Amino acid sequence: MGVEETTAPVANVPWQQITPDAARRLVIAAVEAFAERGYHATTTRDIAGRAGMSPAALYIHYKTKEELLYQISSVGHCLALRLLEDASSGEGTPADRLAAAVRAFTRWHAEHHTTARVVQYELGALSEEHLAEIVDLRRRTDRVVRGIIQQGVDAGDFAVPDLAGTTLAVMSLCIDVARWFGSERRRSPEELGGLYADLVLRMVRPAAC
Amino acid sequence: MGVEETTAPVANVPWQQITPDAARRLVIAAVEAFAERGYHATTTRDIAGRAGMSPAALYIHYKTKEELLYQISSVGHCLALRLLEDASSGEGTPADRLAAAVRAFTRWHAEHHTTARVVQYELGALSEEHLAEIVDLRRRTDRVVRGIIQQGVDAGDFAVPDLAGTTLAVMSLCIDVARWFGSERRRSPEELGGLYADLVLRMVRPAAC
DNA sequence: GCTTGGCCTAAGCGCTTGCTCAGCCATGAC
DNA sequence: GTCATGGCTGAGCAAGCGCTTAGGCCAAGC
């Protein structure tokens, strides 16, 4: 509903793939509102108002308020997955690729922290079927990162006693950026990505030398 | 309202300091409900029902639904702060104390992940005055952890290029446990505390030897 | 035995919520 | 011209919300 199946490159302008224009304006308004106050505290009147429409206009483009959330969650998760897959299939050592993945994933959560907040913290409001789809996307995301770390271990570059646990910690660190980013202004998404890539490499590096 | 000022030891039985019994039952019911569905999606009827009372009984013990949230948030933040202060003022090297702090903080977020979820993710629903109080508690919490890391740097035990950023990352890692813990059963709070203490020590350890 | 005060309930008030519906208006095909 | 169509609005419905009120029950104090 509103998303075109496309192999077009991931745009830097967000939500470009959503048409028509009114549907896109609604999604952007919903992201803002959901990020600010949460899904349940946001009214359909508020969303429609931010998009410059009457409440009824929302239901021409989306069957329910939940479908709007699903749209945001779906697009966001697909984007995050593609970011990680790109980093994973890049050039260089496992350390290079892990650093690239963490940098990209962190940057995305910082740069689009409003979207990321909705994507990461409002899963509970999805319907059962929609949630199942999203959970599957998250599993795939996890697998990509675990794969990179596994390769580093196999190559002898990393020393990781608990692969699943370390993967979880790495993902968790990046995701939590969405929670606090914006409340402290001093750090840019790029700087943060660099810092986090460094910290993660330290986590997987062998202790002795 | 319901909290006794006390220097008694932190009890393992949660909410023991809240009297009378009915007020405590309400708090416990509210924690469950808020953690499951979020503050805004929880009704006062649901809370009262879980506590075995009529909706009106809630308002004998708490002026508003928000005051219940504040109670939970306040007690939770004080508890977390005390955990970290205890670890910070303990014996041993900075590395020992940092490990102890991370282990305790992580364990708490895992063991009481329902409470922690409310404490960490429902701040936005607090009133302005209550939020200000809580934000102050969080600043103090942050300072404690930064203090430990600073001591390690001063002693030459740690090599940390960005003190504030690393502190943020350490706290963030522990806090995010509340988001996902419970969805994967395999790990106990103790194991997770050990794993995270190890990962954090790796993050602050000097690279060369 | 009566009063007091703490704790509770049934009923419901005023309001907001997600969502619907009848109808308006610009556009484009014929 | 005319008629269908897609995008939109104003008005409003049924349900559910946070919270209040009037009053009942019962143990403790005198």
Side-chain angles (χ1 to χ4, degrees):
Chain A
M1 185 135 299
V3 181
E4 287 168 5
E5 295 277 340
T6 171
T7 52
V10 176
N12 233 349
V13 179
W15 313 114
Q16 210 172 10
Q17 72 271 43
I18 294 176
T19 55
D21 182 69
R24 182 170 48 249
R25 266 158 49 219
L26 281 167
V27 166
I28 292 170
V31 166
E32 279 177 23
F34 291 164
E36 260 176 43
R37 313 136 86 106
Y39 176 82
H40 287 293
T42 299
T43 68
T44 54
R45 283 167 234 269
D46 183 21
I47 297 169
R50 285 178 197 240
M53 307 182 205
S54 79
L58 194 153
Y59 292 89
I60 292 158
H61 301 283
Y62 296 96
K63 279 202 292 282
T64 62
K65 175 178 153 189
E66 188 269 346
E67 200 176 88
L68 248 173
L69 175 64
Y70 168 65
Q71 174 89 156
I72 294 163
S73 203
S74 176
V75 171
H77 274 93
C78 285
L79 228 105
L81 176 58
R82 215 179 312 176
L83 278 179
L84 288 175
E85 281 174 342
D86 286 353
S88 166
S89 62
E91 301 284 308
T93 64
D96 292 337
R97 279 177 284 135
L98 181 59
V102 169
R103 197 173 315 131
F105 202 49
T106 302
R107 261 193 62 165
W108 186 77
H109 278 84
E111 224 152 47
H112 306 98
H113 64 275
T114 53
T115 304
R117 209 165 292 168
V118 179
V119 164
Q120 299 293 357
Y121 297 112
E122 304 291 344
L123 298 184
L126 288 168
S127 75
E128 217 167 309
E129 302 85 36
H130 287 162
L131 180 60
E133 267 183 59
I134 298 293
V135 164
D136 184 58
L137 278 172
R138 294 175 76 84
R139 248 197 297 269
R140 286 165 58 189
T141 303
D142 224 67
R143 253 203 300 268
V144 171
V145 175
R146 185 161 62 242
I148 306 176
I149 299 179
Q150 179 70 67
Q151 288 163 19
V153 171
D154 292 345
D157 297 346
F158 301 163
V160 172
D162 179 347
L163 177 66
T166 303
T167 305
L168 193 59
V170 170
M171 299 291 289
S172 174
L173 192 61
C174 300
I175 288 172
D176 196 56
V177 168
R179 181 180 54 87
W180 58 263
F181 197 90
S183 62
E184 76 145 48
R185 293 258 159 269
R186 290 181 296 280
R187 230 170 293 271
S188 75
E190 286 77 17
E191 284 169 342
L192 191 69
L195 172 66
Y196 272 29
D198 174 52
L199 288 173
V200 165
L201 286 186
R202 283 162 174 250
M203 292 194 330
V204 299
R205 202 162 41 193
C209 58
Chain B
M1 185 134 296
V3 181
E4 288 168 4
E5 294 278 340
T6 170
T7 52
V10 177
N12 232 348
V13 179
W15 313 113
Q16 209 171 11
Q17 72 271 42
I18 294 176
T19 56
D21 183 69
R24 182 169 49 248
R25 265 159 47 220
L26 281 167
V27 166
I28 291 169
V31 166
E32 278 177 23
F34 290 164
E36 260 177 43
R37 312 137 86 106
Y39 175 80
H40 287 293
T42 300
T43 68
T44 54
R45 287 158 171 76
D46 182 22
I47 297 169
R50 285 179 196 240
M53 307 182 206
S54 79
L58 194 153
Y59 294 89
I60 292 158
H61 301 283
Y62 296 96
K63 279 203 291 284
T64 62
K65 177 179 151 188
E66 187 269 345
E67 199 175 88
L68 247 173
L69 175 64
Y70 168 65
Q71 174 90 155
I72 293 163
S73 202
S74 176
V75 170
H77 274 93
C78 285
L79 228 105
L81 177 58
R82 217 182 307 179
L83 278 180
L84 288 176
E85 281 175 342
D86 286 354
S88 166
S89 63
E91 302 282 309
T93 63
D96 292 337
R97 279 178 285 135
L98 181 58
V102 169
R103 197 173 314 132
F105 201 49
T106 302
R107 261 193 62 166
W108 186 77
H109 279 84
E111 222 153 48
H112 305 98
H113 63 275
T114 53
T115 304
R117 209 164 294 170
V118 180
V119 164
Q120 301 292 358
Y121 297 113
E122 303 292 342
L123 298 184
L126 288 169
S127 74
E128 217 168 309
E129 303 85 36
H130 285 161
L131 180 60
E133 267 183 59
I134 298 294
V135 165
D136 184 59
L137 278 172
R138 293 176 77 86
R139 247 197 296 271
R140 286 165 60 189
T141 303
D142 223 68
R143 253 202 300 268
V144 171
V145 175
R146 186 161 61 242
I148 306 176
I149 299 179
Q150 179 70 68
Q151 288 162 22
V153 171
D154 292 345
D157 296 348
F158 300 163
V160 171
D162 180 348
L163 177 66
T166 304
T167 304
L168 192 59
V170 170
M171 299 291 290
S172 173
L173 192 62
C174 300
I175 287 173
D176 196 57
V177 168
R179 181 179 55 87
W180 57 263
F181 197 90
S183 62
E184 75 146 48
R185 292 260 159 270
R186 291 181 296 279
R187 231 170 292 271
S188 74
E190 286 78 17
E191 284 169 340
L192 191 69
L195 173 64
Y196 272 30
D198 175 51
L199 288 173
V200 166
L201 287 186
R202 284 162 172 250
M203 291 193 331
V204 298
R205 202 162 43 193
C209 57

